[in-house]
Amino acid sequence: MLVRKGYVFMNPTGLLRSFNFLYFALLAMFIPFLPVYLDKQGLNPAQIGFIVGSGGIITLIAQPLWGMISDRTKTVRKVLLFLLLCSSAVGYLLYASSSYAVLVMFAMLLYFFLMPIDPLTESLNFRISEVSGVSYGSIRTYGALGYGVMALCSGYFMSYLGAHSLSYLFAGLGLISFLIIWKMPDAPVTGKPVTLASLKNFLGNRETLLFLVLVFISSVPARMNDTFLGVYITELGGSSELVGQAWFIAAGSEIAVFALSFWWLKKGKELIIITAAGAFYFIRFFLSAWVSDPHALAYLQILQLLTFPIFYSAAIQYLYSIVPEEWRATGQTVLALLFFGVSGIIASYAGGAVYEAFGGKTLYLSVSAMSLIGMLFGLVLARRYGGKVRSADS
């Protein structure tokens, strides 16, 4: 139970779980299916890489902007309401368009409004889970479920109702998400003042910087896979339904991992857990390079359960142990910015160029090599900083 301006809110975690389901369903229509949608509009891999990469640049600006607005105004809920309303309108226009110039414009706008919702949502998840006495994973599980279900549904929508049918689906889910957040309490805020000095201390810490470098190295190959997996499956002869099934397998595999995070995510062990996830990223992408059957490639996405949910959950917990409390939303934004923004720019531009010039196999061999580097760097950090149980206030 939370209280806001005299009103008592029962079961805020129930509303938050519903919102996670719907918001990550929106992401499932955007992250894996935007490249597939663009491909169906006749764009080549280089053009797709340009749009997704440019979107990463927009995300680079938008995520810290909205994160700092949230911290400064001490509200997550009101910022989310505005972003959801804008995302619903722009998403409808994007998936109703076919012209290259128009697609670029609306894609950039959707990156500006939709992607900053992710770190704000994760901040809301973490804060409300702390206050409510439930695990972060028990809330985030519903995001994985929403992502998986909508990835599966989007593939069938595109195949049987046409690619433009995503416009109605996106706008509808966006407006329902808006209504749920309207009924939500705001995230609990710290009483500590927001100061630039505390942020400078956080970003100037050597351990923090090395951790952010690790996140960056590991996230570039993950973003390349996110961007070009659907394109690679269709190139191998797979259908839009198979793309949806691949993402359903990937997201569905995350559910148990998030739900059981209270069991496997131990304080002080985050860096070694991140390193283990990096090892499985390498195995996953190396095997992907040698697969020639689109169905086998789709089934291989089951390895998602040992990669993204483990990596990202551990990274969030580690971040929250070192970031000043009053800068948590901004710290979460920095993490998301590296994992989805900066890395997405490089992954899309470089990945599009490699794919266009050498094909999917070479792309995935390159991706696996980068994951191996990330794993080795993680081992170095785990040996240096692992095993410490710390607090951001200590």
Side-chain angles (χ1 to χ4, degrees):
M1 181 177 69
L2 292 178
V3 178
R4 179 170 60 84
K5 293 183 178 180
Y7 293 92
V8 178
F9 293 84
M10 301 300 294
N11 193 24
T13 56
L15 290 172
L16 188 54
R17 287 179 177 120
S18 298
F19 175 67
N20 270 259
F21 182 94
L22 292 169
Y23 171 65
F24 284 96
L26 291 175
L27 280 187
M29 278 186 279
F30 186 56
I31 295 177
F33 277 95
L34 177 63
V36 178
Y37 178 80
L38 297 175
D39 181 62
K40 288 186 176 295
Q41 304 311 307
L43 278 63
N44 61 45
Q47 290 174 315
I48 294 172
F50 170 77
I51 289 179
V52 178
S54 298
I57 296 176
I58 298 298
T59 302
L60 194 65
I61 299 169
Q63 283 188 333
L65 171 64
W66 292 109
M68 293 192 73
I69 288 174
S70 174
D71 280 330
R72 288 284 185 175
T73 58
K74 294 187 179 296
T75 176
V76 175
R77 176 179 169 273
K78 291 179 182 178
V79 174
L80 284 176
L81 286 171
F82 177 76
L83 294 176
L84 283 167
L85 192 60
C86 294
S87 295
S88 300
V90 174
Y92 171 82
L93 295 171
L94 171 65
Y95 287 116
S97 303
S98 300
S99 166
Y100 179 68
V102 175
L103 286 170
V104 171
M105 178 180 67
F106 285 129
M108 297 308 102
L109 286 173
L110 195 54
Y111 274 105
F112 184 79
F113 293 121
L114 184 68
M115 296 307 292
I117 296 176
D118 178 74
L120 293 174
T121 299
E122 298 291 13
S123 179
L124 200 65
N125 290 342
F126 200 92
R127 292 182 185 185
I128 288 184
S129 68
E130 282 186 322
V131 171
S132 302
V134 301
S135 70
Y136 159 82
S138 70
I139 296 175
R140 184 57 174 78
T141 295
Y142 286 81
L145 181 61
Y147 198 99
V149 169
M150 191 48 58
L152 183 64
C153 292
S154 296
Y156 286 103
F157 262 75
M158 291 185 74
S159 291
Y160 293 104
L161 299 177
H164 295 301
S165 65
L166 292 184
S167 61
Y168 300 102
L169 188 60
F170 192 98
L173 289 181
L175 292 176
I176 296 173
S177 301
F178 176 88
L179 294 176
I180 289 177
I181 289 296
W182 184 273
K183 294 178 176 293
M184 274 284 297
D186 214 337
V189 297
T190 175
K192 295 183 178 181
V194 173
T195 64
L196 292 178
S198 62
L199 181 64
K200 183 178 179 180
N201 290 337
F202 162 60
L203 294 177
N205 181 272
R206 179 179 176 84
E207 180 181 356
T208 300
L209 292 178
L210 290 174
F211 166 66
L212 294 178
V213 170
L214 171 62
V215 170
F216 173 73
I217 294 174
S218 302
S219 60
V220 170
R223 296 287 68 75
M224 283 188 177
N225 176 71
D226 288 352
T227 302
F228 295 103
L229 175 63
V231 178
Y232 192 35
I233 287 176
T234 54
E235 180 187 301
L236 293 177
S239 62
S240 296
E241 298 103 298
L242 187 60
V243 175
Q245 290 166 18
W247 282 104
F248 175 76
I249 291 170
S253 69
E254 298 176 3
I255 295 172
V257 180
F258 280 123
L260 296 175
S261 62
F262 69 90
W263 174 66
W264 59 264
L265 186 53
K266 305 299 183 182
K267 289 185 178 180
K269 303 294 184 181
E270 296 92 348
L271 287 174
I272 195 65
I273 291 172
I274 289 171
T275 301
F280 284 108
Y281 265 130
F282 164 71
I283 294 171
R284 176 184 177 185
F285 298 145
F286 184 77
L287 292 176
S288 296
W290 299 100
V291 170
S292 57
D293 183 345
H295 291 86
L297 184 58
Y299 300 147
L300 188 60
Q301 303 316 306
I302 190 66
L303 288 178
Q304 176 88 342
L305 89 164
L306 298 172
T307 52
F308 173 74
I310 291 178
F311 185 100
Y312 204 60
S313 296
I316 289 174
Q317 181 165 294
Y318 187 78
L319 174 77
Y320 271 57
S321 72
I322 59 178
V323 65
E325 185 181 359
E326 65 272 24
W327 281 103
R328 279 186 168 182
T330 300
Q332 177 66 52
T333 297
V334 171
L335 177 65
L337 198 62
L338 286 174
F339 204 89
F340 299 105
V342 179
S343 61
I345 297 170
I346 297 175
S348 301
Y349 286 142
V354 171
Y355 199 122
E356 183 77 10
F358 304 105
K361 180 178 180 178
T362 300
L363 175 69
Y364 273 96
L365 286 174
S366 303
V367 161
S368 65
M370 285 185 281
S371 294
L372 180 61
I373 293 172
M375 181 200 72
L376 295 175
F377 187 58
L379 281 174
V380 173
L381 294 191
R383 186 171 182 178
R384 179 176 297 183
Y385 299 111
K388 299 179 182 178
V389 178
R390 58 174 68 74
S391 161
D393 302 318
S394 60

